[in-house]
Amino acid sequence: MRIAITGSIATDHLMTFPGRFTEQLVPGGLGHLSLSFLADDLEVRRGGVAANIAFGLGRMGLTPHLVGAVGADFDDYRSWLEENGVDTGYVRVSSRLHTARFTCTTDQDQNQIATFYAGAMAEAARIDLTGLAVRPGGLDLVLVAPDAPDAMIRHTRRCAELGVAFAADPSQQLARLTRDEARLLVTGARWLFTNAYEAGLLTELSGWDREEILSRVGAWIVTHGADGVRMATAGGVRESFPAVPSGSVVDPTGAGDAFRAGFLAATSWGFAPDTAVPLGCALAAEALEAVGSQLYRASGKDLLARVTATYGEFVGARLAPHLEQLG
C-alpha cells in the first residue's frame, strides 16, 4: 500500500533554565523587556507531525512518502528519515527559508517561554500531489496532517480531483481554520483523527453535530489519552478500546503521531479498525516511554506482547505474521 503523509516537518530546540523566570521580572518594567537566560542544557529533537508519522510507518516496515516543505538545513534530518524507511523524494526544499523550528526554554517551575518559526512550511502549498499520484502504482492513501492551512486545503482538494482516498488529521491547526475550511478538510475522509478536545472543537467550528460529521467520513477515531480510543461510523458502529498500559511516561510528545502510524500500518496490511487501533495504541505506548518523538524502539516482539496482553490472543495472532518480521 502506497501512503503519502503530508504535513509539518520541524526540529525542536529544548533548553532548561535552572532558575525561575518570575525572579527575573522587575515590577513596573514589563513594558520594556530585555531578558537573557543562561540555559543548562540543550536537546535538539527531530519532529513535525508528518515526519513523526512517516518515521513510525518506516519502523513498521513500510516506505511512506513524506510530503512537506523544509529548508536547506534538512540534510541530516533527511538522512535520518531515509535510514528509517521514509521516502523523502517529494519533500520541497526552500531556497530562502529554514526548516520549521520550535524553540522552548523551561524553568524549574515548568514555566515555558517558546517561539515557533514556521519557516519553509509557508511554502508547503506549492507542492502538488499530482506528480506523486501518477507515478507507477499510484497512491492508495494520503494523510493530510497539520501543515500550513492553505497546503492542507490544496492537498484535500487534489485528492478529490485525483480520486485518491485520504485521511484527515487537522488537530492543532483547527483553531486557524474557518468554518468552510474545516468542513472541506473532513468531508469525504476515509478516516478522521482527532483527540477528545479536538472533537469538541471540530463540532463547534464546523457547525455540524457529531452525527453530521459522521455522515461525511468513513470512520471517526478519537483518542482519549490514558482512557483509550473510541471509533464511530455513520452506520452505527461504536467501539471503545482501552489504552495499552505504559511502564513509565517519559515524554508524551509524539504519542498521537505514533498511534496514527500504527493504525495506518495495520490498515495497509488489510486489517479493519478493530485490529488497527490496538496496534496504534501499542506503538503510542512505545513512544510514551522514550524521550523524543522519533526515538522509540518499536520492536515487533515488544509490540506483539503489548497487543496480546491488552487485547487478547486473537488480535495478537492476526498481527503476528507482520510484527514478527520487524525483529
Side-chain angles (χ1 to χ4, degrees):
M1 185 173 184
R2 296 188 67 204
I3 302 176
I5 310 296
T6 74
S8 62
I9 305 167
T11 57
D12 299 338
H13 294 245
L14 309 178
M15 290 166 278
T16 302
F17 174 59
R20 294 180 170 88
F21 295 144
T22 55
E23 294 175 350
Q24 312 301 311
L25 301 177
V26 178
L30 298 183
H32 302 280
L33 284 178
S34 179
L35 298 173
S36 177
F37 302 101
L38 182 61
D40 271 359
D41 53 51
L42 167 67
E43 289 189 27
V44 180
R45 301 181 189 171
R46 303 174 184 92
V49 173
N52 290 342
I53 297 172
F55 169 85
L57 285 166
R59 295 292 291 169
M60 292 293 95
L62 281 74
T63 306
H65 301 280
L66 178 60
V67 179
V70 300
D73 55 342
F74 183 63
D75 287 349
D76 288 344
Y77 198 169
R78 182 193 298 276
S79 296
W80 163 261
L81 290 169
E82 291 180 346
E83 288 168 5
N84 284 280
V86 178
D87 183 336
T88 64
Y90 227 70
V91 172
R92 173 187 172 87
V93 180
S94 173
S95 61
R96 61 187 186 87
L97 298 171
H98 291 286
T99 302
R101 187 161 294 134
F102 175 70
T103 302
C104 180
T105 303
T106 305
D107 74 1
Q108 67 182 53
D109 291 332
Q110 299 303 301
N111 296 311
Q112 294 183 322
I113 296 176
T115 302
F116 181 76
Y117 166 73
M121 194 170 78
E123 298 183 0
R126 301 184 188 181
I127 302 171
D128 189 342
L129 290 174
T130 303
L132 186 56
V134 299
R135 288 181 180 181
L139 278 175
D140 298 300
L141 182 74
V142 173
L143 174 64
V144 182
D147 203 344
D150 54 349
M152 298 170 70
I153 296 297
R154 180 175 192 185
H155 297 328
T156 302
R157 284 177 169 157
R158 186 66 78 223
C159 286
E161 293 166 0
L162 295 170
V164 175
F166 73 95
D169 181 18
S171 55
Q172 62 258 45
Q173 289 293 53
L174 276 171
R176 295 186 58 188
L177 302 175
T178 66
R179 172 163 293 186
D180 288 343
E181 288 172 339
R183 290 181 170 188
L184 173 68
L185 288 176
V186 304
T187 299
R190 176 177 294 178
W191 315 112
L192 169 61
F193 296 101
T194 68
N195 62 28
Y197 173 78
E198 293 158 357
L201 183 59
L202 178 58
T203 57
E204 179 181 347
L205 180 62
S206 68
W208 289 333
D209 63 22
R210 186 168 178 268
E211 294 306 317
E212 287 177 303
I213 293 174
L214 284 173
S215 72
R216 291 167 169 82
V217 303
W220 189 355
I221 297 112
V222 183
T223 56
H224 292 260
D227 292 326
V229 176
R230 296 171 191 167
M231 188 201 75
T233 71
V237 175
R238 302 289 189 274
E239 292 189 70
S240 295
F241 303 81
V244 171
S246 179
S248 60
V249 177
V250 177
D251 182 2
T253 307
D257 301 334
F259 170 80
R260 287 151 175 75
F263 180 95
L264 292 174
T267 58
S268 78
W269 298 333
F271 293 112
D274 62 351
T275 302
V277 170
L279 181 57
C281 290
L283 197 60
E286 294 264 349
L288 286 170
E289 296 173 2
V291 175
S293 53
Q294 295 181 25
L295 291 177
Y296 52 87
R297 292 179 60 247
S299 76
K301 180 179 179 181
D302 289 346
L303 288 170
L304 183 57
R306 290 177 187 268
V307 168
T308 302
T310 305
Y311 305 102
E313 295 284 349
F314 184 66
V315 177
R318 287 176 176 172
L319 290 168
H322 298 277
L323 296 180
E324 288 170 351
Q325 296 180 25
L326 302 179

